[in-house]
Amino acid sequence: MNKPVFFKKLMTKQQLNPAEILLCLSHLDHVVYLKNVKQPVIALFASEYMLVQNTKIQKFSRTSLNQYQQSFELIDLNHFFKPYSQNYSPDFNGGLIGFISYDEAAQQQVNVQHKNQPSLFLGIYYSYIKLTNEGWMFFSHEQDAETIFQLIQDALQNKNRLNKGNQNFSLTQPCTARWNKQRYASAFQQVQDYIRAGDCYQINLTQEFTAKAQGLLLDTAEAFWQLTDAPYSGYLKIDNFELLSCSPELFIDFEADRKITTKPIKGTMPRYSDAEQDEHSKQSLIHSKKDQAENVMIVDLLRNDLSVYAETGSVKTPKLFEIESFNQVHHMVSEVTATLREDVNPFHVLMSALPGGSITGAPKIRAMQIIEELEGAPRGAYCGSMGYFNFDGTGSWNILIRSIQKYQDDVSVWAGGGITIASDCDAEYQECFDKVKAMLDLLNTWYKPE
């Protein structure tokens, strides 16, 4: 795409964080935020978008500012199969942003239930805000860019009147596990039985934590992003559906010269405030043969997924079993790289590789069938992916772990881990809470019993 036809600095009395800007713009639909770019970006006023809910596909086109009508032509994904730009920059510059749920991705290969909420949203955005060294800048490729800029500017200037007509977020019941320990142990044992029978090598068994709530989930965003400091966080609102990502995991980076990189996480130990105890936890993960075995299974699975679209001999594993430390946990992370063939559409690679191997198991199709049988509820957006594509095919997509979904008054948080023949039930159950406890504790601060 050519340079923006319009760009201008947004003027505010104080430097606003992404959550504050999103709240200022919360009266607009399908405003989306991504941190998983070099420059945090907020995109708005999609020119067209595709929405899937309850397996029904709908496409809408913008007729005027914030006004849309249904169209019967699907988005042309050939937008994202053009020669890579000579002026490559590793951030969003206009293109596609959205999310694909686990349910939507898994149903490409197995029969799954769908959560009663949007399961896919893909929007084409020509107007967006990026955080630069000079502050928040507005960029647009649209003819009515000046009007859009002024609307945003007015919304930011009216920050003091923000959300006064909306009900503040609160839980009407605390967020608690849908499974008790006994129910988890039963599912764990069934996974072990499948492994011994030769059905699979590893299953990513997860459990759901649910609550009822009112008000905008967006009200909680800044607190969650400060808590997790997650590199692949994001937010999207579609009517009465909100998706808040606090994800630490990259799924695929689509880079210049058709290079792709995936960084699966498999292996977790908790963080501690005591430095000596924290280092001991980290060292335990570094030397864990069990976690290394889990990790290499998923690395092999992803190498196989990417090799279908990669140039022969280009699939490499430059990093294996590296430790990345986040606010609540240490993770074991590996890296797989490849070069896509010239005839490959990057979006097709993304859809084909989803769901990510780190959140299914191996072999993938049988793992997804077992997940569907044992987990007892559809995952929805959890373990899907959120991200962007520029018009030249570059982009970045995460794995939606450590994420919160809200549809109408239902709130959902999930956590789990990879189960192998060497897994211990008590340790795996505890790992679920190591991953999500801090988020649950924070979420439950919005519960105020009468």
Side-chain angles (χ1 to χ4, degrees):
M1 175 180 283
N2 296 327
K3 291 182 179 180
V5 297
F6 183 97
F7 57 95
K8 193 171 182 179
K9 183 178 179 181
L10 289 161
M11 303 304 295
T12 58
K13 293 180 181 179
Q14 63 191 72
Q15 183 65 33
L16 301 181
N17 61 45
E20 289 173 319
I21 294 177
L22 289 165
L23 282 166
C24 290
L25 302 175
S26 61
H27 60 291
L28 304 175
D29 207 14
H30 49 72
V31 174
V32 59
Y33 163 71
L34 294 175
K35 185 182 177 182
N36 63 333
V37 285
K38 300 300 180 182
Q39 292 173 308
V41 63
I42 295 171
L44 67 171
F45 293 118
S47 63
E48 55 183 323
Y49 67 89
M50 185 164 64
L51 179 67
V52 180
Q53 184 166 351
N54 298 324
T55 70
K56 181 181 179 182
I57 302 172
Q58 293 180 291
K59 193 251 184 176
F60 296 87
S61 297
R62 197 173 89 212
T63 55
S64 60
L65 280 186
N66 214 35
Q67 296 293 320
Y68 293 82
Q69 68 178 15
Q70 190 168 354
S71 171
F72 296 97
E73 294 181 6
L74 297 184
I75 291 176
D76 180 11
L77 297 177
N78 289 323
H79 272 306
F80 310 103
F81 190 42
K82 295 182 178 179
Y84 283 67
S85 170
Q86 301 264 323
N87 302 314
Y88 166 75
S89 61
D91 60 294
F92 182 73
N93 292 293
L96 180 147
I97 297 182
F99 88 98
I100 300 123
S101 71
Y102 173 88
D103 304 341
E104 188 68 22
Q107 62 107 33
Q108 298 176 108
Q109 296 173 302
V110 299
N111 292 323
V112 298
Q113 302 177 72
H114 283 74
K115 224 172 179 56
N116 181 29
Q117 63 187 37
S119 60
L120 177 147
F121 172 87
L122 300 172
I124 305 292
Y125 291 89
Y126 293 95
S127 295
Y128 46 95
I129 309 165
K130 288 200 290 194
L131 184 58
T132 70
N133 292 334
E134 299 176 26
W136 288 99
M137 296 285 294
F138 171 72
F139 298 85
S140 183
H141 305 263
E142 303 193 62
Q143 294 305 310
D144 52 358
E146 181 72 56
T147 302
I148 296 173
F149 172 81
Q150 197 56 55
L151 186 151
I152 298 169
Q153 186 67 72
D154 291 346
L156 299 185
Q157 297 292 358
N158 292 333
K159 180 176 179 289
N160 290 335
R161 298 200 296 273
L162 180 64
N163 255 8
K164 285 195 174 176
N166 291 337
Q167 188 176 34
N168 291 333
F169 180 83
S170 64
L171 294 184
T172 56
Q173 66 181 48
C175 192
T176 56
R178 189 166 52 82
W179 285 355
N180 58 25
K181 176 69 178 294
Q182 183 179 5
R183 179 66 188 85
Y184 179 88
S186 174
F188 177 91
Q189 186 56 53
Q190 288 176 279
V191 170
Q192 292 292 308
D193 292 342
Y194 276 124
I195 293 173
R196 291 190 179 94
D199 283 64
C200 56
Y201 309 106
Q202 180 180 162
I203 296 294
N204 198 73
L205 181 66
T206 68
Q207 59 173 319
E208 185 181 26
F209 301 79
T210 62
K212 295 288 186 179
Q214 58 190 10
L216 275 178
L217 180 62
L218 178 58
D219 287 342
T220 71
E222 180 59 20
F224 276 106
W225 292 333
Q226 286 186 358
L227 173 73
T228 58
D229 193 26
Y232 299 101
S233 56
Y235 174 81
L236 174 63
K237 177 178 178 289
I238 308 162
D239 296 326
N240 50 10
F241 171 71
E242 291 176 271
L243 175 58
L244 178 62
S245 168
C246 302
S247 177
E249 184 168 2
L250 170 70
F251 182 41
I252 303 179
D253 264 341
F254 294 82
E255 303 167 37
D257 301 319
R258 294 177 283 110
K259 180 184 176 182
I260 56 174
T261 300
T262 182
K263 295 178 67 176
I265 291 175
K266 192 55 66 178
T268 302
M269 288 293 287
R271 299 294 308 268
Y272 295 96
S273 56
D274 178 78
E276 185 176 343
Q277 190 178 12
D278 190 57
E279 181 61 26
H280 181 267
S281 183
K282 182 178 179 180
Q283 290 298 321
S284 295
L285 182 58
I286 289 172
H287 298 291
S288 170
K289 298 300 181 185
K290 170 204 171 273
D291 288 303
Q292 289 179 6
E294 285 187 38
N295 195 290
V296 79
M297 284 182 198
I298 301 307
V299 166
D300 286 345
L301 188 156
L302 286 166
R303 285 176 59 90
N304 183 67
D305 281 354
L306 298 184
S307 67
V308 175
Y309 298 101
E311 290 184 349
T312 302
S314 71
V315 180
K316 309 291 184 186
T317 309
K319 297 178 182 178
L320 194 63
F321 309 151
E322 294 209 343
I323 305 301
E324 294 186 7
S325 298
F326 299 91
N327 283 5
Q328 279 78 47
V329 292
H330 300 290
H331 277 314
M332 183 178 286
V333 184
S334 294
E335 181 175 300
V336 180
T337 62
T339 301
L340 294 181
R341 300 195 315 267
E342 290 188 7
D343 63 332
V344 169
N345 182 317
F347 185 84
H348 293 163
V349 176
L350 174 70
M351 290 302 297
S352 175
L354 283 171
S358 66
I359 47 75
T360 56
K364 184 190 283 190
I365 292 177
R366 186 66 184 117
M368 289 189 290
Q369 291 170 338
I370 293 170
I371 286 168
E372 178 67 13
E373 175 191 341
L374 297 183
E375 288 188 349
R379 290 179 172 183
Y382 171 70
C383 288
S385 183
M386 183 179 189
Y388 76 96
F389 275 117
N390 289 313
F391 286 108
D392 64 1
T394 58
S396 183
W397 293 79
N398 72 9
I399 292 283
L400 280 166
I401 56 175
R402 315 294 143 73
S403 299
I404 308 172
Q405 308 168 71
K406 180 177 182 288
Y407 180 64
Q408 297 175 345
D409 62 353
D410 290 313
V411 174
S412 176
V413 183
W414 291 70
I419 310 299
T420 68
I421 194 65
S423 294
D424 174 79
C425 183
D426 289 343
E428 295 294 342
Y429 185 72
Q430 182 58 46
E431 184 177 313
C432 293
F433 289 90
D434 290 341
K435 290 174 175 176
V436 81
K437 182 180 184 301
M439 290 183 66
L440 285 180
D441 289 347
L442 177 57
L443 182 59
N444 281 325
T445 63
W446 277 275
Y447 174 59
K448 309 294 184 189
E450 296 181 1

